[in-house]
Amino acid sequence: MKHSTAILVILSLLFSQQCIFAQNIQEETPMTLHDCLLYAREHAHSNRLNRLETQAASADKRIGASDLMPYVSFGSNGSLSFGRNIDPETNTYDNKKTLGTGFGLEMSLPLFDGLVRINNLKALKAAEIRKKKAQLVEEDRVSLEVIKDFYNISYCTSMVEQMQRQLQRDSTDLEATRHSHKLGTKSGADVAELEAIVAADQYELINQKNLLEKARLSLRTAMGMPQTDAALKIDVDFNNFPCSDVTRILPEIEEAEMAVKEGAMYLRAAKGGYSPKISFGTGISTSYYRMMGVNVEVPSFSRQFRDNMGEYFSLSFSLPIFDGLATANRVKKASLQLRESKVRLEQIRYQLNQSAEEARLDHEAAIEELTAASRRLEAEQIAYKAMRKKYELGAVSALDLYTSSSKLAQAEANLTGKKIQKIISEITLRYYQGYPLINDLK
């Protein structure tokens, strides 16, 4: 017993070490956008909830299918009679105590019910498919959120690196200005201005690092990844992002179409309530009795079980005449729900067409804005080089140099943002054109 306990402890320690090692590998290995999308599809909380709802819809379908199967049941009862009762042997009244038991096995099978059960089963099958499509809709929504958060980390990382370069540049200028002040070529005001500029750079660097951590936190949340202290590392390639060459019908449309089919089946099932019902039944039964407290010989249990056994068959027919207008109201409700599903399908198609057109316009604008941002960066780089030469010659103040440097930093940040905007707009446009967000072939 002690050896087995020791073995279990060792195995648990090994397993925990493996889990920690696997987690460390996951934290240290940079994740591409495709890796993040695959992780989110499996671990995002909303995706997991939708998978459970799909499984529940599958269970409902199986329950509906069971209504078409025969129903078999076994029953047993026992009784002990006191006082005046009927003697099973003579069929006359007496005051004996009698122990009686009965057994029965019966089966019932619906033959016709106006196709209510069949149409309900078809509706449940459509509901299962609709849940699967709704699951895809939620997966796509999560994927779009992950894509935006992923590139937001890239943008924030670029901003941190940019502020580090600017801080290094301004710190170098500060040291040069201090040296020039000692030589008498720069004034104390120039030194004070650059000291204030360096302090502002340090503050902004801290702010950008905080925004980067918040961006990582947002991506973790969207992916359903545990919130740990380790930094989430990503691998960004602006020239390569997940895409698929296989088109499909948007899951929003498929989900709405299955809702229409589901409503049509429920309407047929409701109308089936006007039809007659026919069912078939069969069974066998037997019984056993014994007198209590009386020296009367009774047949054995096995003999009574055989001799008292009986079989029966039944065929029942019922025709609904009046049910308080319940069936009529169910038909009316199902008809309204079907009309609502059709209007919803039309609305979704309209909204998707609008979203697709907006995505096209955003993509075209992003291309033009990226070109303009590139030209602006080139101009700001030339302007900063010229301003820096003037500052070294003493023609301009440190504030003028800082203004030019800030414009250059804004141009660099704007170019990075436009690159990301172009990628996101292209992914969104391809999505509305029918291309999946996750390429499972990669």
Side-chain angles (χ1 to χ4, degrees):
M1 186 67 181
K2 294 181 178 180
H3 292 293
S4 61
T5 304
I7 292 173
L8 290 175
V9 172
I10 294 173
L11 290 176
S12 62
L13 290 174
L14 290 174
F15 179 75
S16 61
Q17 291 295 329
Q18 289 178 352
C19 292
I20 295 173
F21 178 75
Q23 182 178 1
N24 291 335
I25 291 296
Q26 181 185 25
E27 297 293 348
E28 294 175 359
T29 304
M31 299 181 68
T32 64
L33 176 57
H34 186 255
D35 296 334
C36 292
L37 292 175
L38 290 178
Y39 188 95
R41 185 170 64 180
E42 297 298 325
H43 298 88
H45 295 91
S46 57
N47 289 344
R48 291 161 58 188
L49 290 174
N50 274 273
R51 281 196 292 271
L52 294 175
E53 292 179 1
T54 301
Q55 294 175 8
S58 299
D60 291 337
K61 183 192 69 174
R62 292 191 292 270
I63 293 174
S66 66
D67 291 338
L68 300 175
M69 303 294 179
Y71 178 77
V72 182
S73 64
F74 171 78
S76 176
N77 62 78
S79 64
L80 182 61
S81 302
F82 298 90
R84 189 170 178 79
N85 54 70
I86 297 178
D87 186 346
E89 186 176 14
T90 61
N91 202 31
T92 59
Y93 285 97
D94 57 22
N95 292 320
K96 301 175 183 178
K97 297 179 181 179
T98 305
L99 173 66
T101 57
F103 307 91
L105 181 67
E106 62 179 358
M107 181 196 75
S108 61
L109 176 66
L111 298 180
F112 181 76
D113 63 350
L115 303 179
V116 173
R117 289 180 174 86
I118 292 178
N119 286 320
N120 279 333
L121 177 59
K122 290 181 179 179
L124 291 172
K125 288 181 178 179
E128 180 188 19
I129 298 175
R130 180 174 62 84
K131 280 294 182 181
K132 291 180 180 179
K133 299 304 178 182
Q135 178 181 335
L136 293 177
V137 173
E138 182 61 23
E139 288 178 357
D140 288 345
R141 186 196 65 80
V142 172
S143 295
L144 287 172
E145 183 178 353
V146 168
I147 290 171
K148 294 178 181 179
D149 290 339
F150 180 88
Y151 283 110
N152 188 35
I153 290 180
S154 175
Y155 177 76
C156 291
T157 302
S158 298
M159 293 299 297
V160 170
E161 294 173 351
Q162 173 189 311
M163 285 307 307
Q164 289 174 340
R165 291 193 300 268
Q166 184 169 343
L167 176 60
Q168 180 64 32
R169 187 167 56 240
D170 292 338
S171 298
T172 302
D173 292 339
L174 175 60
E175 292 301 323
T177 303
R178 285 173 175 171
H179 182 69
S180 299
H181 176 62
K182 292 179 181 180
L183 297 177
T185 58
K186 295 290 184 182
S187 65
D190 292 332
V191 175
E193 286 182 357
L194 277 173
E195 288 177 345
I197 289 172
V198 170
D201 290 343
Q202 292 173 344
Y203 168 80
E204 186 61 27
L205 178 59
I206 294 173
N207 182 50
Q208 291 299 329
K209 287 182 177 180
N210 183 49
L211 293 176
L212 175 59
E213 292 305 316
K214 287 184 178 180
R216 289 196 177 103
L217 179 62
S218 180
L219 179 58
R220 285 182 178 276
T221 303
M223 293 167 56
M225 181 177 287
Q227 304 292 353
T228 60
D229 296 333
L232 174 63
K233 298 181 180 180
I234 62 173
D235 181 12
V236 182
D237 186 356
F238 288 102
N239 298 318
N240 183 26
F241 50 87
C243 60
S244 175
D245 296 330
V246 181
T247 60
R248 62 171 182 178
I249 299 176
L250 287 174
E252 290 94 334
I253 295 178
E254 292 182 317
E255 188 272 337
E257 289 176 345
M258 294 311 301
V260 172
K261 184 176 181 180
E262 179 185 356
M265 293 300 104
Y266 276 129
L267 178 59
R268 292 182 183 179
K271 291 180 178 179
Y274 293 118
S275 302
K277 277 76 175 174
I278 303 175
S279 61
F280 170 77
T282 183
I284 56 176
S285 63
T286 187
S287 62
Y288 168 77
Y289 76 94
R290 183 165 63 89
M291 300 293 182
M292 303 292 293
V294 178
N295 295 325
V296 177
E297 184 178 355
V298 296
S300 63
F301 179 84
S302 59
R303 180 178 176 182
Q304 290 193 44
F305 190 87
R306 181 182 67 254
D307 294 343
N308 296 339
M309 183 173 294
E311 302 86 13
Y312 68 89
F313 297 93
S314 65
L315 188 67
S316 63
F317 173 87
S318 64
L319 178 65
I321 297 177
F322 181 74
D323 61 353
L325 300 179
T327 300
N329 286 314
R330 279 194 291 267
V331 171
K332 184 176 181 180
K333 181 180 178 181
S335 178
L336 292 173
Q337 291 176 340
L338 177 58
R339 290 168 58 187
E340 180 182 354
S341 298
K342 290 181 178 179
V343 174
R344 178 172 171 268
L345 173 60
E346 181 181 351
Q347 180 187 23
I348 288 178
R349 285 175 173 167
Y350 181 86
Q351 290 176 345
L352 289 177
N353 289 334
Q354 178 186 0
S355 299
E357 182 63 18
E358 289 179 352
R360 185 187 64 82
L361 295 174
D362 290 341
H363 182 57
E364 292 177 354
I367 295 175
E368 295 177 358
E369 290 174 1
L370 178 60
T371 303
S374 299
R375 291 197 300 266
R376 178 191 173 188
L377 178 60
E378 294 175 358
E380 293 294 348
Q381 288 174 341
I382 296 173
Y384 175 74
K385 291 179 181 179
M387 186 64 67
R388 186 173 185 81
K389 289 182 179 180
K390 291 181 179 180
Y391 176 75
E392 292 173 353
L393 296 174
V396 295
S397 64
L399 183 59
D400 295 327
L401 179 62
Y402 175 72
T403 302
S404 180
S405 176
S406 298
K407 290 182 178 180
L408 176 59
Q410 291 176 1
E412 291 174 346
N414 186 55
L415 180 62
T416 303
K418 295 306 177 182
K419 287 181 179 178
I420 293 175
Q421 182 179 346
K422 176 181 175 295
I423 292 176
I424 294 177
S425 64
E426 183 173 351
I427 294 175
T428 305
L429 177 60
R430 288 178 61 85
Y431 170 74
Y432 286 115
Q433 290 175 344
Y435 294 94
L437 293 171
I438 303 178
N439 185 8
D440 292 318
L441 299 178
K442 290 194 69 173

